[in-house]
Amino acid sequence: MRVKKYLLTALAVLLSIVYLLPLAWMVLASFQSQKDILAGRWIPSVWQMDNYRTILQRAKISNWFLNSLISSSIGTAGIVIICTLSAYAVSRMDFPGRNLLYIFSLMGFMIPSQAIAIPLYLMIRKFGLVNNLLGIVLPALPSSMAVFILSQFMKAIPADYEEAARLDGAGELDIMFKIILPMSVPAIITVAVLHFTWIWNDFFWPLIVMTNEKMYTLPVGLVALAGSDVNIRYGPIMAANVMASLPVIVVYLFMQRYLTRGVVLSVR
Amino acid sequence: MIIHSKRRRTLLAYLLFLPFAILLIIFKLIPFANSVRMVFYKWDILGTPQFIGLANFRRMFSDKVFVSSLWHTFYFVILTVPPIMVLSFLVAVLANSKIYTQAKGFIRSAFYLPYTLTISVVCLTWTLLYNPYFGLISKATKSLGLKTINWLVDPTWAMPAVAITTVWWTIGFCVILYIAGLQQIPASYYEAAELDGATDFKKMIFITIPLLKRVHVLVIVTQIIASLQIFGQVYIMTAGGPAGKTRTIMQYIYEQGFRYFRMGYAQTMAFILFLIMLVFSYLQLRLMTSSSKEELI
């Protein structure tokens, strides 16, 4: 029994390490000279920061970083506010047409964003929002996934709390802001973390909406950088990769619990 | 008084729902209505759209590139979904087996980490790993005495290479699902089987696999949906090449719509993709709304 435990643990650890090798190489290569990379080395012969210096000087990476950060943060904040309110309405309030509105709010699931990308682009263009961060933020706001996760969570909160508060004369808004929303904080964080990483990592939509190099988000900028600038070698690109990954990895380290729960909640 | 407060509450509910509803209509439903309308038009980015009936469809079905893109997309689904399912199941079983707790957390984090990275980072890194001259994959195959493959340039291997990267990138998502499912299987089932002298293998075949039926379906459906929409990996790693061998339907839509600005024609293909996905999105919605909170099995 004991031996089996050792063996299985060793297997698990070994497998995880092998699985992470591509990432390990990415980080190591970001400290290597072009010569080291071309030699197929793992450990840099000389640890150097040149790649990071090059990428910070040459590329518009700070612009891209800010674009990604601003659109992801504002988008996430907007989603949380708008979808929490509507989820509260369809899950905690009783009114005629409630079920219909709930089904309506889930319609986004039936319309994949890729299927409407072209007419949406034409609309954004008409609004003058091409090369504008609002062009990324606004279409992201009506998230059926957020309403779904939040309303499922709120539905499961027992009615007792609410009834007690009502007897004490609390109004609907008191109940919402003082009882249900504070109790829904775990679900709200899950929704926030999930959507932040989704907007941060999205590639297709920003590729279409951002045509000006200054307005690229990080994922789009990285690809443009690797493809266009002939003077950029492999090392700097790996350095850019590391810099682009750090924020999500930080979010992941601190919010792992919420993220993994989000995975389960988002499919059920 | 009571009637009054009831009406007020209804009004409040609609008010709370209103911002979401308006945004959903503007940014999802109206574009969707337009997406259906556009398929009947010759719609270039400049100039007036021109009604042309079913000409877009006729053109599409005689367009060899469209047909091959559709086939490449299905090929990609076949190359990715079964390995993702089998591998993530095995990893989850290992992560959930009787190993040290620290190792449990480690394996779970290790496999989920790549999924948090943006597709650009993943693809740019793998492009270098696949490089036949200095890439670590060719180094590994060389040390095993195998022939060096120029993965992303070889017509036979380009798509499998893109698929391998995708499997590596997405497995974590499904591992988490499987672990959550495994944790919901009551221990008493296994204890009862042990009393009957069942082996580990038998427990796996007769308890674990059948009880996780719902998770299997969830994994298959979500991964088919994701793989049908494959774009970034192809765009970044091969740009649809070599000789169009990795051009998938989204890649072709992108080329037609945003490189040649044939919006009507591109939208007609997007509409076909929508129809294919409809089956799976409906299935997913049914699955999501049919279970209670956080129950996976």
Side-chain angles (χ1 to χ4, degrees):
Chain A
M1 238 12 223
R2 199 77 192 264
V3 175
K4 197 173 148 194
K5 190 172 179 176
Y6 282 140
L7 284 177
L8 281 176
T9 305
L11 180 66
V13 171
L14 192 73
L15 210 61
S16 308
I17 290 173
V18 170
Y19 189 73
L20 288 178
L21 283 181
L23 280 184
W25 181 78
M26 175 181 97
V27 176
L28 289 170
S30 74
F31 296 105
Q32 290 179 0
S33 63
Q34 180 81 350
K35 224 167 116 196
D36 279 354
I37 294 179
L38 292 182
R41 284 184 72 106
W42 272 97
I43 308 296
S45 57
V46 184
W47 291 78
Q48 46 125 352
M49 296 294 289
D50 287 7
N51 296 327
Y52 288 89
R53 225 167 286 139
T54 309
I55 207 76
L56 285 171
Q57 279 167 2
R58 190 185 302 254
K60 303 187 170 55
I61 197 161
S62 48
N63 274 344
W64 303 338
F65 190 91
L66 275 179
N67 290 339
S68 280
L69 191 67
I70 293 169
S71 56
S72 306
S73 313
I74 296 181
T76 303
I79 287 168
V80 164
I81 294 169
I82 288 161
C83 298
T84 306
L85 297 182
S86 58
Y88 181 83
V90 293
S91 65
R92 300 298 303 188
M93 295 178 81
D94 197 16
F95 59 95
R98 163 183 137 143
N99 266 333
L100 220 61
L101 283 193
Y102 181 58
I103 293 169
F104 170 80
S105 70
L106 298 184
M107 278 177 75
F109 283 122
M110 299 300 290
I111 309 173
S113 53
Q114 320 263 48
I116 56 167
I118 292 169
L120 188 61
Y121 166 76
L122 292 172
M123 176 187 264
I124 291 293
R125 200 163 161 268
K126 213 187 265 170
F127 290 170
L129 295 178
V130 169
N131 287 321
N132 186 321
L133 292 181
L134 283 178
I136 292 178
V137 171
L138 288 176
L141 293 180
S143 164
S144 292
M145 184 57 84
V147 175
F148 175 73
I149 292 177
L150 289 165
S151 59
Q152 292 285 73
F153 189 90
M154 290 179 190
K155 249 183 224 166
I157 298 175
D160 309 0
Y161 300 99
E162 194 179 327
E163 278 156 17
R166 253 182 236 289
L167 286 179
D168 289 341
E172 189 70 42
L173 287 176
D174 288 329
I175 291 169
M176 178 166 106
F177 284 114
K178 291 189 185 144
I179 299 175
I180 304 297
L181 292 193
M183 291 180 80
S184 308
V185 165
I188 293 174
I189 297 178
T190 301
V191 164
V193 173
L194 214 53
H195 285 82
F196 184 90
T197 54
W198 282 348
I199 303 177
W200 183 276
N201 285 341
D202 192 16
F203 181 70
F204 185 67
W205 184 245
L207 178 72
I208 293 173
V209 179
M210 299 303 184
T211 52
N212 178 343
E213 205 190 358
K214 268 202 173 129
M215 294 309 295
Y216 285 166
T217 57
L218 264 177
V220 178
L222 287 181
V223 173
L225 183 70
S228 67
D229 196 336
V230 284
N231 295 318
I232 290 277
R233 290 160 189 265
Y234 300 121
I237 291 170
M238 292 302 113
N241 276 349
V242 172
M243 287 196 282
S245 309
L246 275 180
V248 274
I249 290 179
V250 169
V251 169
Y252 174 63
L253 287 179
F254 289 100
M255 299 283 174
Q256 189 173 10
R257 208 154 40 95
Y258 295 103
L259 254 184
T260 49
R261 240 183 105 233
V263 168
V264 177
L265 287 171
S266 70
V267 296
R268 222 86 53 115
Chain B
M1 187 58 203
I2 288 177
I3 292 174
H4 176 69
S5 78
K6 208 174 177 185
R7 198 178 285 163
R8 264 188 51 181
R9 202 180 305 164
T10 303
L11 190 69
L12 178 67
Y14 277 98
L15 223 59
L16 291 175
F17 195 78
L18 195 65
F20 177 82
I22 292 175
L23 288 163
L24 188 74
I25 290 170
I26 296 180
F27 293 109
K28 282 267 184 200
L29 301 186
I30 292 177
F32 179 68
N34 282 336
S35 80
V36 178
R37 198 162 63 98
M38 280 181 81
V39 304
F40 303 109
Y41 284 83
K42 182 177 193 300
W43 196 309
D44 300 332
I45 198 159
L46 300 168
T48 334
Q50 210 182 331
F51 184 82
I52 51 169
L54 293 174
N56 278 329
F57 287 94
R58 243 172 277 138
R59 174 177 172 187
M60 190 173 69
F61 288 118
S62 57
D63 182 351
K64 282 201 186 96
V65 181
F66 166 75
V67 177
S68 75
S69 308
L70 205 57
W71 158 242
H72 294 154
T73 309
F74 292 144
Y75 181 46
F76 180 76
V77 172
I78 295 166
L79 281 180
T80 48
V81 178
I84 286 177
M85 191 180 161
V86 173
L87 294 175
S88 57
F89 173 74
L90 293 176
V91 171
V93 168
L94 182 59
N96 202 51
S97 65
K98 291 182 180 107
I99 58 176
Y100 287 96
T101 326
Q102 294 95 321
K104 275 186 190 183
F106 182 62
I107 186 171
R108 186 201 284 239
S109 305
F111 276 83
Y112 191 70
L113 189 63
Y115 186 69
T116 61
L117 301 181
T118 171
I119 197 160
S120 315
V121 168
V122 171
C123 293
L124 291 175
T125 304
W126 275 81
T127 304
L128 294 191
L129 292 177
Y130 281 130
N131 187 296
Y133 305 108
F134 60 84
L136 296 166
I137 291 174
S138 58
K139 252 180 87 182
T141 51
K142 222 176 276 170
S143 69
L144 290 173
L146 300 168
K147 210 175 89 212
T148 305
I149 301 169
N150 195 346
W151 291 87
L152 295 172
V153 182
D154 188 316
T156 324
W157 288 105
M159 194 59 113
V162 173
I164 290 170
T165 304
T166 308
V167 170
W168 180 79
W169 182 47
T170 35
I171 253 184
F173 181 86
C174 302
V175 170
I176 298 292
L177 281 184
Y178 270 121
I179 290 178
L182 285 168
Q183 286 171 347
Q184 287 176 13
I185 299 177
S188 56
Y189 287 25
Y190 293 111
E191 285 154 15
E194 257 159 49
L195 287 180
D196 291 342
T199 59
D200 282 350
F201 181 72
K202 276 199 166 158
K203 278 189 274 182
M204 173 92 95
I205 299 290
F206 292 109
I207 300 175
T208 315
I209 293 178
L211 273 177
L212 291 176
K213 199 178 102 199
R214 207 183 132 80
V215 185
H216 300 318
V217 177
L218 278 172
V219 166
I220 293 174
V221 172
T222 53
Q223 293 315 304
I224 289 179
I225 290 177
S227 286
L228 281 173
Q229 303 186 71
I230 182 212
F231 171 74
Q233 296 94 308
V234 165
Y235 178 90
I236 299 167
M237 297 175 79
T238 64
K245 283 287 183 200
T246 58
R247 186 185 281 114
T248 57
I249 192 72
M250 275 315 295
Q251 170 75 20
Y252 194 43
I253 291 170
Y254 176 81
E255 287 170 14
Q256 287 293 327
F258 296 99
R259 211 163 277 163
Y260 308 120
F261 299 110
R262 297 183 189 124
M263 299 284 181
Y265 185 49
Q267 184 50 48
T268 310
M269 296 188 283
F271 184 68
I272 295 293
L273 180 64
F274 164 75
L275 288 182
I276 296 170
M277 287 180 55
L278 195 61
V279 188
F280 300 103
S281 356
Y282 178 71
L283 218 66
Q284 188 186 19
L285 191 59
R286 280 287 301 275
L287 281 163
M288 287 170 71
T289 46
S290 68
S291 88
S292 56
K293 200 175 160 289
E294 289 187 57
E295 229 152 68
L296 272 173
I297 60 170

